[in-house]
Amino acid sequence: MIRGSLGPGALIIQSRPIRQGGIFGLMGTEAVEVVAASDADDDTGRTQDSPLRPDAGHNAAASAVPRFPGAVRTASVGQAESDGPVRASSFRRIYDQLVEQGVLPKLARALVEEAVCRFPSSPFAEKFPNVGDRLESASREDVLQALTGAVAKTIRVERSAKPATGPKVIALVGPTGVGKTTTIAKLATIAKMRHGLPTALATIDTYRIGAVDQLRTYAELLAVPLAVVQRPEQMQQVIESFSDKAVVFVDTIGRSPRDHDRVDTLRPFLGRLPNLETHLVVSCTAKYDDVLLAHETFSRLPIRRLVFSKVDEAVSFGSVYNLAAQSQVPLSYLTVGQEVPDDIEVTTPGRIAELLMRAA
């Protein structure tokens, strides 16, 4: 109803249930109080009053919410408007920042609305009881905290679970040049050297010149076994030979997201492996259309996690959030450079929120 009244660019800043009438709020009727912002004016340049009419079946009366360019005003279904406009510049700037970062406008709006709704229950609310004062006085840290909570609500972040029996098999797939082999080396080094896990490596990338030699060098440095798999029927045998290992990392050949047939050649290698967790690696430097195409194509495989590489090379991170929010595939790792093993991070909602606010 807000967007029907104020236009598609309206931003819902806060909504909360209230009661009207009765005694001390008891035995009254339910209503909803809404705080909204709009930068749009009508064709004459003047702000216009426009009624909001609840859908049939809602137990509330109609109310009018006028436009206030660059500002917000509290209005309730069935309740009079509050006094004076309230600015919400902090969160409006964050919305603009998210869009500049490449976050889709509908996702940016939903993310900001979710972030603002977290303020009433936060310690910050005690200092500024009035919603307008809270929004106007919010510091970058306050906004980041609220945005972190909103990111956690709208995307999934999960770590790998240890299987009951047998080794955990983690395979990395994705387009060419996204850093799969280097990411394998980082994960294997952390597993072996930092956590002391019995580790093994396997690769089916026998096409790219030097690919096997690169992974063999890491295997020798870590003193872990490496298996080179050339045919699909060999893969299950290799995993069975590593039954004494806690984790096996599998490197794969990069494929063009436009070449479905070549992506399909990976399926026989990964199709029947027990305890398999396939991570799709995509680059943060790619355009969202390219990232989306990679996800759509490689979803022909059993994708369970997303890895975003080249964080250090990217200037915007909207594609990260867009894909995570729309696909609901859990994020696992971010790679932030070429150093093995240091330049890799376990993804957290706070880290994603920080990247989205980086330009700010």
Side-chain angles (χ1 to χ4, degrees), residues 203-340:
T203 181
I204 62 175
D205 187 358
T206 58
Y207 297 90
R208 186 165 54 94
I209 296 175
V212 174
D213 291 337
Q214 181 184 5
L215 202 58
R216 180 174 286 115
T217 299
Y218 288 122
E220 291 174 352
L221 289 172
L222 293 173
V224 301
L226 168 67
V228 179
V229 181
Q230 297 180 331
R231 297 187 305 276
E233 59 268 22
Q234 291 178 314
M235 179 59 79
Q236 193 162 357
Q237 299 172 1
V238 165
I239 299 303
E240 290 174 355
S241 71
F242 291 148
S243 60
D244 61 330
K245 305 303 181 184
V247 59
V248 179
F249 295 100
V250 180
D251 195 13
T252 65
I253 184 171
R255 296 300 193 191
S256 168
R258 297 186 179 277
D259 195 337
H260 290 192
D261 291 339
R262 288 186 177 272
V263 171
D264 284 342
T265 63
L266 300 176
R267 296 171 68 179
F269 288 91
L270 306 176
R272 298 182 179 178
L273 296 182
N275 303 325
L276 173 65
E277 188 176 270
T278 305
H279 295 230
L280 172 62
V281 184
V282 292
S283 173
C284 287
T285 61
K287 296 181 297 183
Y288 178 58
D289 288 345
D290 297 331
V291 169
L292 188 62
L293 177 62
H295 175 259
E296 291 176 351
T297 302
F298 281 92
S299 289
R300 304 161 77 89
L301 307 174
I303 302 300
R304 296 291 179 266
R305 298 287 191 277
L306 295 175
V307 177
F308 282 93
S309 64
K310 303 187 179 183
V311 171
D312 56 310
E313 300 178 21
V315 296
S316 63
F317 301 94
S319 60
V320 176
Y321 181 78
N322 291 340
L323 182 57
Q326 292 195 312
S327 71
Q328 285 300 297
V329 177
L331 300 181
S332 55
Y333 301 102
L334 301 173
T335 70
V336 295
Q338 295 296 313
E339 292 294 325
V340 177

Side-chain angles (χ1 to χ4, degrees), residues 77-295:
V77 176
Q79 183 181 18
E81 300 164 15
S82 64
D83 296 331
V86 177
R87 293 193 57 80
S89 56
S90 296
F91 280 90
R92 185 71 204 192
R93 286 195 301 268
I94 294 304
Y95 171 81
D96 293 339
Q97 169 67 27
L98 293 173
V99 174
E100 289 174 6
Q101 281 276 4
V103 177
L104 298 176
K106 64 178 181 180
L107 297 180
R109 182 181 292 112
L111 190 58
V112 171
E113 289 171 1
E114 180 66 33
V116 175
C117 286
R118 294 177 176 275
F119 271 84
S121 60
S122 68
F124 187 65
E126 299 176 2
K127 185 176 180 181
F128 299 98
N130 179 273
V131 64
D133 292 338
R134 291 203 300 274
L135 295 175
E136 182 63 23
S137 304
S139 68
R140 185 181 187 279
E141 290 71 23
D142 298 319
V143 174
L144 181 59
Q145 181 180 6
L147 192 63
T148 296
V151 169
K153 182 73 175 293
T154 53
I155 69 173
R156 299 172 62 195
V157 175
E158 294 181 9
R159 298 191 180 189
S160 299
K162 182 179 179 181
T165 60
K168 180 76 174 184
V169 181
I170 296 180
L172 267 58
V173 301
T176 57
V178 294
K180 294 185 297 297
T181 303
T182 304
T183 302
I184 287 276
K186 294 172 183 176
L187 294 173
T189 302
I190 291 171
K192 174 69 184 299
M193 305 304 292
R194 294 186 182 175
H195 299 293
L197 298 176
T199 303
L201 300 176
T203 181
I204 62 175
D205 187 358
T206 58
Y207 297 90
R208 186 165 54 94
I209 296 175
V212 174
D213 291 337
Q214 181 184 5
L215 202 58
R216 180 174 286 115
T217 299
Y218 288 122
E220 291 174 352
L221 289 172
L222 293 173
V224 301
L226 168 67
V228 179
V229 181
Q230 297 180 331
R231 297 187 305 276
E233 59 268 22
Q234 291 178 314
M235 179 59 79
Q236 193 162 357
Q237 299 172 1
V238 165
I239 299 303
E240 290 174 355
S241 71
F242 291 148
S243 60
D244 61 330
K245 305 303 181 184
V247 59
V248 179
F249 295 100
V250 180
D251 195 13
T252 65
I253 184 171
R255 296 300 193 191
S256 168
R258 297 186 179 277
D259 195 337
H260 290 192
D261 291 339
R262 288 186 177 272
V263 171
D264 284 342
T265 63
L266 300 176
R267 296 171 68 179
F269 288 91
L270 306 176
R272 298 182 179 178
L273 296 182
N275 303 325
L276 173 65
E277 188 176 270
T278 305
H279 295 230
L280 172 62
V281 184
V282 292
S283 173
C284 287
T285 61
K287 296 181 297 183
Y288 178 58
D289 288 345
D290 297 331
V291 169
L292 188 62
L293 177 62
H295 175 259

Side-chain angles (χ1 to χ4, degrees), residues 10-52:
L11 182 65
I12 297 176
I13 299 299
Q14 182 187 20
S15 63
R16 66 186 181 93
I18 62 173
R19 282 191 172 271
Q20 294 178 300
I23 303 174
F24 301 113
L26 300 176
M27 305 300 292
T29 59
E30 292 185 353
V32 177
E33 182 181 74
V34 178
V35 182
S38 175
D39 288 334
D41 292 337
D42 68 356
D43 294 337
T44 65
R46 297 171 299 177
T47 59
Q48 296 285 321
D49 286 1
S50 185
L52 295 181

